[in-house]
Amino acid sequence: MNDLIIKQGKLINGTIIDLVINDGKITAIGPFAATGLNAIKEIDLHGHYHISAGWIDAHTHCYPQSPLYFDEPDLIGIASGVTTVVDAGSAGADDIDHFYAVSRKAKTHVYAFLNIARTGIRSQNELADMNSIDNEQFQDAARRHKGFVIGLKARMSKSVIGENGLLPLLKAKIMQKTNGLPLMVHIGNPPPNLEAMVDLLTKGDIITHCFNGKPNRILDGTGKLKHAVQKALARGVILDVGHGTESLSFSVAEQAIKFGAHPHMISSDIYQRNRVGGPVYSLASVMTKFLNMGLPAEYILNCVTINAANLLHLPQKGRLERGCDADITIFELKDQRIELVDAEGQVRIGSQQFIPIAAIVSGTHIAVTENTATVDLTVKNTTADRSAINDLSQ
């Protein structure tokens, strides 16, 4: 008897497949993989609904005890069709033990970029005091939580660094040499200027908020991609969206994409305030914005699945392949009019939308979203855990 069978799921290319899942892994996949098989739980999608590897949100703020940017992992995770969330620096070495303990209670997979400031984001200017950057404590925390801590985070904008200029980023690059983890760099208002920061970045480093409309945008005064950014991309530096409350400009993104600066990862920078009040709402909402800026649906899915898994060094995630983790997102790609708003209040009218229907984590937790009431999703021999999500949202 198998643990879970998903029948007649539709890939983004239109192929209809079955999935067979055991012990948290995909054990069979293909057009008729479930023929003649039985399972404890069975979901029949009737060929109507899309299926993909579980969506990965590479930039969130989901440490519930963080004083400024916080949320519940399962509300921005499985309740929204996302199976893996990565917290981007909410916690530093002082808080990572507690964050780890809290994260183990979530159904959603949770990982962390550890803030180079030991305090994490307890205030807006965590890098204004260089004494808050303690390499020994950082490395100890990263070693203690190897596998949970998958990168380091430096927020490099004037409001965060005070008068320290490039010093926090220089220190971050030194810290990175010890552990080899990816470095995510938040770009905001200068100083320091973008070119000086980008010149320090190396292959695998991540520029988040890459399409912001602030003075440190990736476009020059003529609307072309800055030369320093072009060189960084050629070196293998990564562009991550990190929409957030202030960091996605439609006009910048549209122009950058025109010049070939496509995002490698599409992430939300979501936390409670911009989830409830916008302009982020969910990872699906951010994906929809890029869909209506002209990026193909398959490209967008890759940005939240295989690209994110590869760039974050999560080799068992992000793919629908035999032997990979049984993290699955079920969704619709629906033709309907939608009004979309960026972080600057610019409005675009879209005609197609990603609508998450359900998320399956490790082949065990089946969480339906609020959209499931309007679709024909047949789940046999199990009760999807909507009640757990409702409890969290009270």
Side-chain angles (χ1 to χ4, degrees):
M1 181 72 71
N2 297 285
D3 292 337
L4 173 65
I5 286 175
I6 303 174
K7 290 184 175 180
Q8 293 192 298
K10 183 166 60 174
L11 298 179
I12 198 64
N13 65 9
T15 302
I16 305 298
I17 64 163
D18 298 339
L19 284 173
V20 182
I21 293 167
N22 287 292
D23 297 324
K25 299 289 184 180
I26 298 170
T27 54
I29 179 171
F32 305 103
T35 300
L37 300 180
N38 295 312
I40 298 169
K41 301 177 184 179
E42 183 179 302
I43 300 173
D44 195 337
L45 301 179
H46 310 290
H48 296 161
Y49 306 112
H50 287 287
I51 191 171
S52 73
W55 294 352
I56 300 168
D57 195 340
H59 183 156
T60 74
H61 291 281
C62 61
Y63 176 31
Q65 279 68 43
S66 179
L68 294 182
Y69 306 115
F70 56 87
D71 214 328
E72 295 288 344
D74 284 340
L75 287 178
I76 63 175
I78 56 173
S80 302
V82 176
T83 60
T84 298
V85 295
V86 183
D87 185 276
S90 302
D94 288 353
D95 297 323
I96 196 65
D97 293 346
H98 184 258
F99 183 24
Y100 176 77
V102 170
S103 73
R104 298 308 91 180
K105 299 175 183 178
K107 294 181 175 67
T108 309
H109 296 298
V110 182
Y111 298 93
F113 275 85
L114 188 62
N115 200 308
I116 64 169
R118 57 179 294 178
T119 58
I121 311 177
R122 290 184 196 164
S123 65
Q124 288 287 7
N125 63 341
E126 75 266 18
L127 298 178
D129 180 0
M130 291 297 293
N131 290 321
S132 70
I133 306 175
D134 187 310
N135 189 31
E136 184 176 343
Q137 292 195 25
F138 181 96
Q139 302 301 342
D140 181 59
R143 281 191 296 268
R144 285 201 314 277
H145 296 291
K146 185 178 180 180
F148 173 61
V149 171
I150 60 171
L152 56 165
K153 174 73 179 293
R155 298 203 305 151
M156 292 297 297
S157 56
K158 172 64 176 176
S159 61
V160 179
I161 64 171
E163 303 302 318
N164 285 328
L166 287 172
L167 288 176
L169 183 54
L170 290 167
K171 190 69 177 286
K173 291 299 292 181
I174 293 171
M175 297 162 80
Q176 183 188 32
K177 288 180 180 178
T178 300
N179 52 52
L181 295 173
L183 169 63
M184 178 180 280
V185 179
H186 153 126
I187 58 172
N189 286 313
N193 68 59
L194 178 65
E195 291 86 343
M197 291 189 288
V198 166
D199 284 345
L200 295 173
L201 303 184
T202 53
K203 182 177 181 179
D205 288 342
I206 301 163
I207 298 172
T208 194
H209 309 314
C210 67
F211 297 134
N212 76 65
K214 299 174 183 179
N216 258 352
R217 68 187 70 182
I218 64 175
L219 304 177
D220 64 21
T222 68
K224 295 181 179 180
L225 201 61
K226 289 179 177 177
H227 185 57
V229 175
Q230 295 179 43
K231 292 196 298 181
L233 294 178
R235 291 196 303 274
V237 172
I238 306 306
L239 294 181
D240 171 56
V241 170
H243 184 314
T245 304
E246 300 180 348
S247 297
L248 175 65
S249 163
F250 281 146
S251 57
V252 171
E254 290 161 348
Q255 186 74 356
I257 290 169
K258 185 186 299 183
F259 282 101
H262 294 73
H264 300 94
M265 297 192 296
I266 293 177
S267 67
S268 66
D269 185 23
I270 197 169
Y271 63 102
Q272 186 182 60
R273 189 176 69 185
N274 65 29
R275 171 175 59 83
V276 175
V280 176
Y281 300 111
S282 67
L283 180 61
S285 174
V286 180
M287 294 163 65
T288 295
K289 292 176 185 182
F290 281 88
L291 184 65
N292 289 283
M293 282 190 273
L295 288 185
E298 185 170 4
Y299 183 90
I300 292 167
L301 281 175
N302 286 342
C303 286
V304 300
T305 55
I306 191 166
N307 287 6
N310 288 344
L311 296 169
L312 299 174
H313 307 293
L314 300 172
Q316 297 301 306
K317 301 194 181 300
R319 6 174 106 66
L320 290 181
E321 296 176 4
R322 186 178 179 187
C324 287
D325 290 349
D327 298 336
I328 314 294
T329 297
I330 299 167
F331 65 99
E332 282 190 284
L333 193 58
K334 191 169 185 178
D335 293 327
Q336 63 180 25
R337 184 183 184 278
I338 182 171
E339 183 175 289
L340 304 164
V341 182
D342 71 1
E344 298 181 326
Q346 297 182 78
V347 177
R348 299 287 188 271
I349 302 301
S351 59
Q352 203 171 36
Q353 186 176 3
F354 282 100
I355 300 179
I357 302 300
I360 300 168
V361 177
S362 301
T364 302
H365 303 297
I366 305 172
V368 297
T369 74
E370 62 183 11
N371 305 304
T372 309
T374 64
V375 303
D376 177 20
L377 179 66
T378 304
V379 183
K380 295 181 180 178
N381 302 322
T382 186
T383 301
D385 25 333
R386 180 189 295 276
S387 60
I389 297 168
N390 288 341
D391 289 344
L392 283 171
S393 61
Q394 295 301 314

